[in-house]
Amino acid sequence: MVQYNFKKITVVPTGKDFIDIILSRTQRQTPTVVHKGYAISRIRQFYMRKVKYTQQNYHDKLSTIIEEFPRLDDIHPFYGDLLHVLYNKDHYKLALGQINTARNLIGKIAKDYVKLLKYGDSLYRCKSLKVAALGRMCTVIKRVGPSLAYLEQIRQHMARLPSIDPNTRTILICGYPNVGKSSFINKITRADVDVQPYAFTTKSLFVGHTDYKYLRYQVIDTPGILDRPFEDRNIIEMCSITALAHLRAAVLFFLDISGSCGYSIAQQAALFHSIKSLFMNKPLIIVCNKTDLQALEGISEDDKKLVMEMKAEAMKTLIGQGGEPTNDERVLLTMSTLTEEGVIAVKNAACERLLDQRVELKMKSKKLNDCLNRFHVAMPKPRDQKERPPCIPEAVLEAKAKKAEQAAEKQKKLEKDLEDENGGAGVYSASLRKHYILANDEWKEDIMPEILDGHNVYDFVDPDILQRLEELEREEGMRQEQEADDDFEMDGAELTPEEQEALAEIRKKKRLLIQQHRMKKSTAESRPTVPRKFDKDKKYTSERMGRQLSTLGLDPTLAINRARSKSRGRKRERSVDRGDQNGTDDMDVDGNQPNKKLRLRSRSQSRSRSKSRPPYEVVPGEGLKDSAQKKKAVKLAEKSHKKRNKDARKGEADRIDASSIQIGFILHKLYTESCELSYPLLEVALKALKGLYGYRGESYCGLI
């Protein structure tokens, strides 16, 4: 099935834009520097490349235009005639022919000038030949500028054409303007065609799709047709005539029997008879619309006679030429698109008629006979009067029954199943006792006794049980609220006087800590960070921590020892593994006699250089895959520093001493202005320099 999609045609640029595109691409994609000192062969090759590249770009662009636009002789006759109606195929072919001629001329120009460039004897002559070649190519494109603009207009219009498949199942709607064709397609498809109470609202073909018996049907709404000579019809009417002539479809001829469209039934009948030659070999249905305004039985006798004549003509246009329909009820139908009465019946009748015709045509074709020869359907005939039912072994039947029973046992019965088994809704009542959790399942269905051991059971039930239950629920709610309260504070009523003093001290300390935290938080950005060794207030000392813990009644010894062990630096100790590797056994060393060799070895090992990581070992978190990738990254980083180091530029690792810059500036001023300064003034300046920069100032003063 061939699909025509004209929306994929590439945009056709104007003549000026065409030239700009090609020349800018040539400038960007070819070398741009040439010197007169080059060898003449290199100069010739330089300019020949530019000429060939420009010609190739022109050739590719023009070839794309010629190939993407459809050839009227190769596409379906429906699209060929439709394009002829819309654009005049003579002008269309002439425009494409001019584009083809321009492509050939540009190729010939490039060939001639490449031949001349082979004999260019200087840079100037080669450049002049290149300019002439490109200029002549651009002149050819300028001359076909009107053809390019015409093809671009055609492309834009073709992109707006509906995608119609001429070979699929199609329903075609035709008739006078304003008879309800667009309303009908809007009812049976998802198309949204504009509907207005005046003629020629629909000015082009519109397509919708509907389903019938799991098959997709294509519904085409055509513009209205007037009853006038063929040569007097405009482009809008010719679109409808083209669709009727070339599409193999079921035709619905709409008839407005109310006359509200502005045309009488006689005029509509005249149109029908003028175009009935286009209905040959197509299923035709006469649809009488707007029955909500005028019923078919209520029209005059003359109009009814005209309708019957159209019906008789429609009966001749069924499956074969001159064939007689088997059912004339599907030839003349009535409906109203306003009330939607009869709309679905018209759609179903059209689909059925079209389907019958397509099946009949396929049955008559030779392709069916070729297919039937490939297979044979055998139909067994009875050889006697004896019945032979299917024989299934008993073992198989038993296995199936057993399997079905097992499946039924595994499947849990639902309340719905129990309801269906026990009389259905209204008869079966679901038992809630079967869900009780009791020590014995047999107790679930027991009936509560009224008399037990000679006593009335109801006498032992508290009459205030509901009230007590409400009190218990209120008490439980109050307890839950108390547990959920996060701001629980000890009231101190049950504490001893000493505990109350400690609680007051704790609360006071808590308030002070909160205030200090808030002050620190408010001034965190502007407050500098001071190391603890410069803490003048001695806020972070172990002695103060010990005093505070002692006041709270706690032993501060463990906390102070732990703080000192954390702050004191640990000495490097020799590990047992290292001793094992060196072949020594520490268990054999006597604790009372110091081993001098062991002490010297541990000292030398502590002084020895620690093992460093290999330079290209990948560290987790660096984002590198392996050592090869890290080596490549390091090399790229070193390479990027070479130019800066070569120019002696400042890098991110260079240290900048601002005081040295200031000293140099002062020394330069003293040296240049020493003739104007007296000796006392110079001495004062040197002393100031010494005070500012310390010993470095002394060295600079000595230099002066």
Short mmCIF file of all heavy atoms in Angstrom, two decimals, residues 172-188 193-202 219-225 252-263 268 287-293 335-341 343 346:
data_model
loop_
_atom_site.label_atom_id
_atom_site.label_comp_id
_atom_site.label_asym_id
_atom_site.label_seq_id
_atom_site.Cartn_x
_atom_site.Cartn_y
_atom_site.Cartn_z
N LEU A 172 -16.98 8.30 0.14
CA LEU A 172 -16.90 9.63 -0.46
C LEU A 172 -18.24 10.31 -0.32
O LEU A 172 -19.29 9.73 -0.69
CB LEU A 172 -16.49 9.51 -1.92
CG LEU A 172 -15.88 10.73 -2.60
CD1 LEU A 172 -14.60 11.14 -1.89
CD2 LEU A 172 -15.60 10.44 -4.05
N ILE A 173 -18.24 11.53 0.20
CA ILE A 173 -19.47 12.30 0.41
C ILE A 173 -19.48 13.44 -0.60
O ILE A 173 -18.52 14.21 -0.68
CB ILE A 173 -19.53 12.85 1.85
CG1 ILE A 173 -19.32 11.73 2.86
CG2 ILE A 173 -20.85 13.55 2.09
CD1 ILE A 173 -19.16 12.23 4.28
N CYS A 174 -20.57 13.56 -1.37
CA CYS A 174 -20.67 14.62 -2.36
C CYS A 174 -22.09 15.15 -2.39
O CYS A 174 -23.01 14.57 -1.83
CB CYS A 174 -20.25 14.11 -3.74
SG CYS A 174 -21.33 12.84 -4.41
N GLY A 175 -22.27 16.26 -3.10
CA GLY A 175 -23.59 16.89 -3.20
C GLY A 175 -23.46 18.38 -3.33
O GLY A 175 -22.36 18.94 -3.45
N TYR A 176 -24.61 19.05 -3.30
CA TYR A 176 -24.64 20.51 -3.37
C TYR A 176 -24.05 21.12 -2.09
O TYR A 176 -23.97 20.45 -1.05
CB TYR A 176 -26.09 20.99 -3.54
CG TYR A 176 -26.42 21.45 -4.94
CD1 TYR A 176 -26.94 20.56 -5.86
CD2 TYR A 176 -26.22 22.77 -5.32
CE1 TYR A 176 -27.27 20.98 -7.15
CE2 TYR A 176 -26.54 23.19 -6.60
CZ TYR A 176 -27.06 22.30 -7.52
OH TYR A 176 -27.36 22.72 -8.78
N PRO A 177 -23.64 22.37 -2.14
CA PRO A 177 -23.16 23.02 -0.91
C PRO A 177 -24.27 23.15 0.13
O PRO A 177 -25.46 23.27 -0.20
CB PRO A 177 -22.69 24.41 -1.39
CG PRO A 177 -22.50 24.27 -2.86
CD PRO A 177 -23.48 23.24 -3.33
N ASN A 178 -23.88 23.08 1.40
CA ASN A 178 -24.75 23.34 2.55
C ASN A 178 -25.90 22.32 2.64
O ASN A 178 -27.01 22.67 3.03
CB ASN A 178 -25.32 24.77 2.46
CG ASN A 178 -25.79 25.26 3.82
OD1 ASN A 178 -25.36 24.77 4.86
ND2 ASN A 178 -26.69 26.23 3.82
N VAL A 179 -25.61 21.06 2.30
CA VAL A 179 -26.63 20.02 2.44
C VAL A 179 -26.36 19.11 3.63
O VAL A 179 -27.11 18.16 3.86
CB VAL A 179 -26.74 19.17 1.15
CG1 VAL A 179 -27.22 20.02 0.00
CG2 VAL A 179 -25.42 18.49 0.82
N GLY A 180 -25.26 19.33 4.39
CA GLY A 180 -24.98 18.56 5.60
C GLY A 180 -23.87 17.55 5.46
O GLY A 180 -23.80 16.61 6.26
N LYS A 181 -22.99 17.73 4.49
CA LYS A 181 -21.89 16.77 4.30
C LYS A 181 -20.88 16.87 5.46
O LYS A 181 -20.46 15.86 6.03
CB LYS A 181 -21.18 17.04 2.96
CG LYS A 181 -22.10 16.95 1.75
CD LYS A 181 -21.34 17.09 0.46
CE LYS A 181 -20.66 18.43 0.31
NZ LYS A 181 -21.63 19.54 0.26
N SER A 182 -20.47 18.08 5.80
CA SER A 182 -19.48 18.25 6.88
C SER A 182 -20.05 17.84 8.23
O SER A 182 -19.34 17.29 9.09
CB SER A 182 -19.01 19.71 6.93
OG SER A 182 -18.42 20.08 5.70
N SER A 183 -21.34 18.09 8.46
CA SER A 183 -21.96 17.66 9.73
C SER A 183 -21.94 16.15 9.85
O SER A 183 -21.73 15.59 10.94
CB SER A 183 -23.40 18.18 9.81
OG SER A 183 -23.42 19.59 9.73
N PHE A 184 -22.15 15.44 8.72
CA PHE A 184 -22.16 13.98 8.76
C PHE A 184 -20.78 13.42 9.08
O PHE A 184 -20.65 12.50 9.91
CB PHE A 184 -22.64 13.46 7.40
CG PHE A 184 -22.65 11.97 7.30
CD1 PHE A 184 -23.57 11.21 7.97
CD2 PHE A 184 -21.70 11.31 6.53
CE1 PHE A 184 -23.58 9.82 7.89
CE2 PHE A 184 -21.69 9.92 6.43
CZ PHE A 184 -22.63 9.18 7.12
N ILE A 185 -19.73 13.96 8.46
CA ILE A 185 -18.38 13.45 8.74
C ILE A 185 -17.96 13.76 10.17
O ILE A 185 -17.22 13.01 10.81
CB ILE A 185 -17.37 14.00 7.71
CG1 ILE A 185 -16.05 13.22 7.82
CG2 ILE A 185 -17.12 15.47 7.90
CD1 ILE A 185 -15.03 13.61 6.75
N ASN A 186 -18.45 14.88 10.72
CA ASN A 186 -18.13 15.20 12.11
C ASN A 186 -18.82 14.23 13.07
O ASN A 186 -18.30 13.95 14.16
CB ASN A 186 -18.56 16.62 12.44
CG ASN A 186 -17.65 17.66 11.81
OD1 ASN A 186 -16.54 17.34 11.38
ND2 ASN A 186 -18.11 18.90 11.74
N LYS A 187 -19.99 13.69 12.66
CA LYS A 187 -20.72 12.78 13.54
C LYS A 187 -20.09 11.39 13.57
O LYS A 187 -20.04 10.75 14.62
CB LYS A 187 -22.18 12.66 13.07
CG LYS A 187 -22.98 13.94 13.19
CD LYS A 187 -23.20 14.34 14.64
CE LYS A 187 -24.08 15.58 14.72
NZ LYS A 187 -24.27 16.02 16.13
N ILE A 188 -19.61 10.90 12.44
CA ILE A 188 -19.15 9.50 12.38
C ILE A 188 -17.63 9.37 12.52
O ILE A 188 -17.13 8.25 12.62
CB ILE A 188 -19.61 8.83 11.08
CG1 ILE A 188 -18.93 9.46 9.86
CG2 ILE A 188 -21.11 8.88 10.95
CD1 ILE A 188 -19.18 8.72 8.57
N VAL A 193 -14.47 19.45 10.99
CA VAL A 193 -14.65 20.29 9.80
C VAL A 193 -15.56 21.45 10.17
O VAL A 193 -16.56 21.28 10.89
CB VAL A 193 -15.23 19.47 8.63
CG1 VAL A 193 -15.29 20.30 7.37
CG2 VAL A 193 -14.40 18.22 8.40
N ASP A 194 -15.21 22.63 9.70
CA ASP A 194 -15.99 23.82 10.01
C ASP A 194 -17.37 23.72 9.36
O ASP A 194 -17.50 23.39 8.18
CB ASP A 194 -15.26 25.06 9.49
CG ASP A 194 -15.92 26.35 9.98
OD1 ASP A 194 -16.67 26.28 10.97
OD2 ASP A 194 -15.68 27.41 9.36
N VAL A 195 -18.40 24.01 10.15
CA VAL A 195 -19.79 23.95 9.68
C VAL A 195 -20.41 25.34 9.87
O VAL A 195 -20.43 25.87 10.98
CB VAL A 195 -20.61 22.89 10.45
CG1 VAL A 195 -22.06 22.89 9.99
CG2 VAL A 195 -19.99 21.52 10.29
N GLN A 196 -20.89 25.93 8.76
CA GLN A 196 -21.51 27.25 8.78
C GLN A 196 -22.77 27.22 7.94
O GLN A 196 -22.90 26.42 7.01
CB GLN A 196 -20.54 28.32 8.24
CG GLN A 196 -19.28 28.50 9.06
CD GLN A 196 -19.54 29.03 10.45
OE1 GLN A 196 -20.58 29.64 10.72
NE2 GLN A 196 -18.60 28.79 11.37
N PRO A 197 -23.72 28.11 8.21
CA PRO A 197 -25.00 28.10 7.46
C PRO A 197 -24.92 28.86 6.13
O PRO A 197 -25.86 29.57 5.77
CB PRO A 197 -25.97 28.77 8.43
CG PRO A 197 -25.12 29.71 9.20
CD PRO A 197 -23.79 29.04 9.35
N TYR A 198 -23.82 28.73 5.42
CA TYR A 198 -23.72 29.34 4.10
C TYR A 198 -22.93 28.40 3.20
O TYR A 198 -22.25 27.49 3.67
CB TYR A 198 -23.08 30.73 4.16
CG TYR A 198 -21.78 30.81 4.90
CD1 TYR A 198 -20.57 30.45 4.31
CD2 TYR A 198 -21.75 31.25 6.23
CE1 TYR A 198 -19.38 30.52 5.00
CE2 TYR A 198 -20.56 31.33 6.92
CZ TYR A 198 -19.38 30.96 6.30
OH TYR A 198 -18.19 31.03 6.99
N ALA A 199 -23.00 28.66 1.90
CA ALA A 199 -22.43 27.75 0.90
C ALA A 199 -20.91 27.88 0.86
O ALA A 199 -20.34 28.93 1.18
CB ALA A 199 -23.03 28.04 -0.48
N PHE A 200 -20.27 26.80 0.41
CA PHE A 200 -18.82 26.72 0.20
C PHE A 200 -18.03 27.04 1.46
O PHE A 200 -17.02 27.75 1.43
CB PHE A 200 -18.38 27.63 -0.96
CG PHE A 200 -18.78 27.11 -2.31
CD1 PHE A 200 -19.82 27.70 -3.01
CD2 PHE A 200 -18.15 26.01 -2.86
CE1 PHE A 200 -20.21 27.21 -4.24
CE2 PHE A 200 -18.52 25.52 -4.09
CZ PHE A 200 -19.57 26.12 -4.80
N THR A 201 -18.51 26.53 2.60
CA THR A 201 -17.70 26.59 3.81
C THR A 201 -16.49 25.66 3.67
O THR A 201 -15.37 26.01 4.06
CB THR A 201 -18.53 26.16 5.03
OG1 THR A 201 -19.71 26.95 5.08
CG2 THR A 201 -17.75 26.34 6.31
N THR A 202 -16.70 24.49 3.09
CA THR A 202 -15.61 23.54 2.84
C THR A 202 -15.01 23.86 1.47
O THR A 202 -15.70 23.77 0.45
CB THR A 202 -16.14 22.10 2.86
OG1 THR A 202 -16.79 21.86 4.11
CG2 THR A 202 -15.01 21.11 2.68
N VAL A 219 -13.06 8.26 5.38
CA VAL A 219 -14.20 9.08 4.98
C VAL A 219 -13.69 10.42 4.47
O VAL A 219 -12.93 11.10 5.17
CB VAL A 219 -15.19 9.28 6.14
CG1 VAL A 219 -16.44 10.00 5.67
CG2 VAL A 219 -15.56 7.94 6.76
N ILE A 220 -14.10 10.79 3.24
CA ILE A 220 -13.61 12.02 2.60
C ILE A 220 -14.80 12.95 2.39
O ILE A 220 -15.80 12.58 1.78
CB ILE A 220 -12.92 11.72 1.26
CG1 ILE A 220 -11.73 10.79 1.49
CG2 ILE A 220 -12.46 13.01 0.59
CD1 ILE A 220 -11.01 10.39 0.22
N ASP A 221 -14.64 14.17 2.91
CA ASP A 221 -15.65 15.22 2.71
C ASP A 221 -15.18 16.10 1.56
O ASP A 221 -14.09 16.69 1.62
CB ASP A 221 -15.82 16.03 3.99
CG ASP A 221 -16.84 17.14 3.83
OD1 ASP A 221 -17.69 17.05 2.93
OD2 ASP A 221 -16.77 18.12 4.61
N THR A 222 -15.99 16.22 0.52
CA THR A 222 -15.62 17.01 -0.66
C THR A 222 -16.35 18.34 -0.64
O THR A 222 -17.43 18.47 -0.05
CB THR A 222 -15.99 16.24 -1.94
OG1 THR A 222 -17.41 16.03 -1.97
CG2 THR A 222 -15.28 14.90 -1.98
N PRO A 223 -15.78 19.36 -1.28
CA PRO A 223 -16.50 20.64 -1.39
C PRO A 223 -17.77 20.48 -2.22
O PRO A 223 -17.95 19.53 -2.98
CB PRO A 223 -15.49 21.56 -2.09
CG PRO A 223 -14.17 20.90 -1.90
CD PRO A 223 -14.44 19.43 -1.84
N GLY A 224 -18.68 21.43 -2.07
CA GLY A 224 -19.93 21.38 -2.81
C GLY A 224 -19.73 21.58 -4.31
O GLY A 224 -18.81 22.26 -4.77
N ILE A 225 -20.61 20.95 -5.10
CA ILE A 225 -20.56 21.02 -6.56
C ILE A 225 -21.84 21.70 -7.05
O ILE A 225 -22.94 21.41 -6.54
CB ILE A 225 -20.43 19.61 -7.18
CG1 ILE A 225 -19.29 18.84 -6.53
CG2 ILE A 225 -20.20 19.71 -8.68
CD1 ILE A 225 -19.21 17.39 -6.96
N LEU A 252 -21.73 8.59 -1.28
CA LEU A 252 -22.96 9.04 -0.62
C LEU A 252 -23.35 10.37 -1.25
O LEU A 252 -22.66 11.38 -1.05
CB LEU A 252 -22.75 9.20 0.88
CG LEU A 252 -22.30 7.96 1.67
CD1 LEU A 252 -22.12 8.31 3.14
CD2 LEU A 252 -23.29 6.84 1.52
N PHE A 253 -24.45 10.37 -2.02
CA PHE A 253 -24.93 11.61 -2.63
C PHE A 253 -25.98 12.20 -1.71
O PHE A 253 -27.06 11.62 -1.51
CB PHE A 253 -25.52 11.35 -4.01
CG PHE A 253 -25.89 12.60 -4.74
CD1 PHE A 253 -24.94 13.30 -5.48
CD2 PHE A 253 -27.19 13.09 -4.70
CE1 PHE A 253 -25.28 14.46 -6.14
CE2 PHE A 253 -27.53 14.26 -5.36
CZ PHE A 253 -26.57 14.95 -6.08
N PHE A 254 -25.65 13.34 -1.10
CA PHE A 254 -26.53 13.97 -0.12
C PHE A 254 -27.58 14.82 -0.84
O PHE A 254 -27.26 15.58 -1.75
CB PHE A 254 -25.72 14.81 0.85
CG PHE A 254 -25.23 14.04 2.04
CD1 PHE A 254 -24.43 12.92 1.88
CD2 PHE A 254 -25.59 14.41 3.32
CE1 PHE A 254 -23.99 12.20 2.96
CE2 PHE A 254 -25.16 13.69 4.42
CZ PHE A 254 -24.35 12.58 4.25
N LEU A 255 -28.81 14.69 -0.36
CA LEU A 255 -29.95 15.39 -0.94
C LEU A 255 -30.69 16.11 0.17
O LEU A 255 -31.10 15.50 1.17
CB LEU A 255 -30.88 14.37 -1.63
CG LEU A 255 -31.95 14.90 -2.57
CD1 LEU A 255 -31.30 15.53 -3.79
CD2 LEU A 255 -32.87 13.77 -3.00
N ASP A 256 -30.81 17.43 0.04
CA ASP A 256 -31.53 18.23 1.04
C ASP A 256 -32.99 18.33 0.60
O ASP A 256 -33.33 19.10 -0.31
CB ASP A 256 -30.90 19.61 1.16
CG ASP A 256 -31.54 20.44 2.26
OD1 ASP A 256 -32.42 19.90 2.96
OD2 ASP A 256 -31.17 21.62 2.41
N ILE A 257 -33.86 17.52 1.20
CA ILE A 257 -35.26 17.51 0.78
C ILE A 257 -36.06 18.65 1.40
O ILE A 257 -37.20 18.89 1.01
CB ILE A 257 -35.92 16.16 1.16
CG1 ILE A 257 -35.82 15.92 2.67
CG2 ILE A 257 -35.27 15.04 0.38
CD1 ILE A 257 -36.52 14.64 3.12
N SER A 258 -35.44 19.39 2.37
CA SER A 258 -36.17 20.52 2.97
C SER A 258 -36.00 21.79 2.17
O SER A 258 -36.79 22.73 2.33
CB SER A 258 -35.68 20.75 4.41
OG SER A 258 -34.33 21.19 4.40
N GLY A 259 -34.98 21.87 1.31
CA GLY A 259 -34.74 23.08 0.52
C GLY A 259 -34.09 24.20 1.30
O GLY A 259 -33.96 25.32 0.78
N SER A 260 -33.64 23.95 2.55
CA SER A 260 -33.02 25.02 3.34
C SER A 260 -31.61 25.36 2.87
O SER A 260 -31.05 26.37 3.29
CB SER A 260 -32.97 24.60 4.82
OG SER A 260 -32.20 23.41 4.97
N CYS A 261 -31.05 24.55 2.00
CA CYS A 261 -29.70 24.85 1.50
C CYS A 261 -29.71 25.93 0.43
O CYS A 261 -28.65 26.44 0.05
CB CYS A 261 -29.07 23.57 0.93
SG CYS A 261 -29.94 22.90 -0.50
N GLY A 262 -30.89 26.29 -0.07
CA GLY A 262 -30.99 27.30 -1.11
C GLY A 262 -31.14 26.73 -2.50
O GLY A 262 -31.19 27.50 -3.47
N TYR A 263 -31.19 25.40 -2.61
CA TYR A 263 -31.32 24.75 -3.92
C TYR A 263 -32.48 23.77 -3.84
O TYR A 263 -32.62 23.01 -2.85
CB TYR A 263 -30.04 24.03 -4.32
CG TYR A 263 -28.81 24.93 -4.32
CD1 TYR A 263 -27.95 24.94 -3.22
CD2 TYR A 263 -28.54 25.76 -5.39
CE1 TYR A 263 -26.84 25.76 -3.20
CE2 TYR A 263 -27.42 26.59 -5.38
CZ TYR A 263 -26.58 26.58 -4.28
OH TYR A 263 -25.48 27.40 -4.27
N GLN A 268 -30.91 19.74 -7.53
CA GLN A 268 -30.03 18.69 -7.02
C GLN A 268 -30.13 17.43 -7.89
O GLN A 268 -29.13 16.74 -8.12
CB GLN A 268 -30.40 18.36 -5.57
CG GLN A 268 -30.23 19.56 -4.62
CD GLN A 268 -30.64 19.24 -3.20
OE1 GLN A 268 -30.16 18.28 -2.62
NE2 GLN A 268 -31.55 20.04 -2.65
N VAL A 287 -28.79 9.75 0.01
CA VAL A 287 -29.06 10.07 1.42
C VAL A 287 -29.92 11.32 1.46
O VAL A 287 -29.49 12.40 1.02
CB VAL A 287 -27.75 10.29 2.20
CG1 VAL A 287 -28.07 10.60 3.66
CG2 VAL A 287 -26.86 9.06 2.10
N CYS A 288 -31.13 11.20 1.94
CA CYS A 288 -32.05 12.34 2.10
C CYS A 288 -31.86 12.91 3.50
O CYS A 288 -32.26 12.29 4.50
CB CYS A 288 -33.50 11.90 1.88
SG CYS A 288 -33.83 11.26 0.23
N ASN A 289 -31.25 14.06 3.58
CA ASN A 289 -30.88 14.67 4.87
C ASN A 289 -31.92 15.71 5.29
O ASN A 289 -32.78 16.11 4.49
CB ASN A 289 -29.49 15.31 4.74
CG ASN A 289 -28.91 15.66 6.09
OD1 ASN A 289 -29.37 15.19 7.12
ND2 ASN A 289 -27.90 16.51 6.10
N LYS A 290 -31.79 16.13 6.54
CA LYS A 290 -32.64 17.17 7.15
C LYS A 290 -34.11 16.72 7.20
O LYS A 290 -35.03 17.49 6.90
CB LYS A 290 -32.51 18.49 6.40
CG LYS A 290 -31.08 19.03 6.37
CD LYS A 290 -30.98 20.39 5.73
CE LYS A 290 -29.53 20.87 5.68
NZ LYS A 290 -29.38 22.18 5.03
N THR A 291 -34.30 15.46 7.59
CA THR A 291 -35.68 14.98 7.75
C THR A 291 -36.35 15.57 8.97
O THR A 291 -37.57 15.43 9.13
CB THR A 291 -35.67 13.45 7.87
OG1 THR A 291 -34.80 13.06 8.94
CG2 THR A 291 -35.19 12.82 6.57
N ASP A 292 -35.60 16.22 9.85
CA ASP A 292 -36.23 16.88 11.00
C ASP A 292 -37.01 18.11 10.55
O ASP A 292 -37.95 18.54 11.23
CB ASP A 292 -35.17 17.27 12.02
CG ASP A 292 -34.09 18.15 11.42
OD1 ASP A 292 -33.62 17.83 10.30
OD2 ASP A 292 -33.70 19.15 12.04
N LEU A 293 -36.65 18.70 9.39
CA LEU A 293 -37.39 19.84 8.86
C LEU A 293 -38.49 19.41 7.89
O LEU A 293 -39.55 20.04 7.82
CB LEU A 293 -36.42 20.80 8.14
CG LEU A 293 -35.30 21.40 9.00
CD1 LEU A 293 -34.39 22.28 8.15
CD2 LEU A 293 -35.88 22.21 10.16
N MET A 335 -32.06 10.52 6.92
CA MET A 335 -31.41 10.77 8.21
C MET A 335 -31.50 12.26 8.53
O MET A 335 -31.91 13.08 7.69
CB MET A 335 -29.94 10.33 8.19
CG MET A 335 -29.04 11.23 7.40
SD MET A 335 -27.31 10.88 7.66
CE MET A 335 -26.57 12.28 6.83
N SER A 336 -31.07 12.59 9.74
CA SER A 336 -30.98 13.98 10.19
C SER A 336 -29.73 14.12 11.03
O SER A 336 -29.61 13.48 12.08
CB SER A 336 -32.22 14.38 11.00
OG SER A 336 -32.04 15.67 11.57
N THR A 337 -28.78 14.93 10.56
CA THR A 337 -27.54 15.12 11.33
C THR A 337 -27.77 15.95 12.58
O THR A 337 -26.95 15.91 13.50
CB THR A 337 -26.49 15.81 10.45
OG1 THR A 337 -27.04 17.02 9.90
CG2 THR A 337 -26.07 14.92 9.29
N LEU A 338 -28.87 16.70 12.63
CA LEU A 338 -29.15 17.50 13.82
C LEU A 338 -29.60 16.63 14.97
O LEU A 338 -29.09 16.74 16.09
CB LEU A 338 -30.20 18.56 13.49
CG LEU A 338 -30.57 19.51 14.63
CD1 LEU A 338 -29.36 20.34 15.03
CD2 LEU A 338 -31.73 20.41 14.23
N THR A 339 -30.55 15.74 14.70
CA THR A 339 -31.04 14.84 15.75
C THR A 339 -30.30 13.51 15.78
O THR A 339 -30.60 12.67 16.64
CB THR A 339 -32.53 14.58 15.53
OG1 THR A 339 -32.72 13.94 14.25
CG2 THR A 339 -33.33 15.87 15.57
N GLU A 340 -29.37 13.29 14.83
CA GLU A 340 -28.58 12.07 14.70
C GLU A 340 -29.45 10.84 14.43
O GLU A 340 -29.06 9.71 14.70
CB GLU A 340 -27.72 11.83 15.95
CG GLU A 340 -26.71 12.92 16.21
CD GLU A 340 -25.78 12.59 17.37
OE1 GLU A 340 -25.86 11.45 17.87
OE2 GLU A 340 -24.98 13.46 17.75
N GLU A 341 -30.61 11.06 13.90
CA GLU A 341 -31.50 9.95 13.56
C GLU A 341 -31.10 9.38 12.20
O GLU A 341 -31.09 10.09 11.19
CB GLU A 341 -32.95 10.43 13.51
CG GLU A 341 -33.95 9.33 13.18
CD GLU A 341 -35.36 9.85 13.09
OE1 GLU A 341 -35.56 11.05 13.37
OE2 GLU A 341 -36.26 9.07 12.72
N VAL A 343 -28.12 8.33 11.31
CA VAL A 343 -26.72 8.58 10.93
C VAL A 343 -25.93 7.27 10.93
O VAL A 343 -25.21 6.95 9.97
CB VAL A 343 -26.08 9.62 11.89
CG1 VAL A 343 -24.59 9.74 11.62
CG2 VAL A 343 -26.75 10.96 11.71
N VAL A 346 -26.86 4.96 8.01
CA VAL A 346 -26.24 5.35 6.73
C VAL A 346 -24.78 4.89 6.70
O VAL A 346 -24.29 4.35 5.70
CB VAL A 346 -26.34 6.87 6.53
CG1 VAL A 346 -25.53 7.31 5.33
CG2 VAL A 346 -27.79 7.28 6.36
#
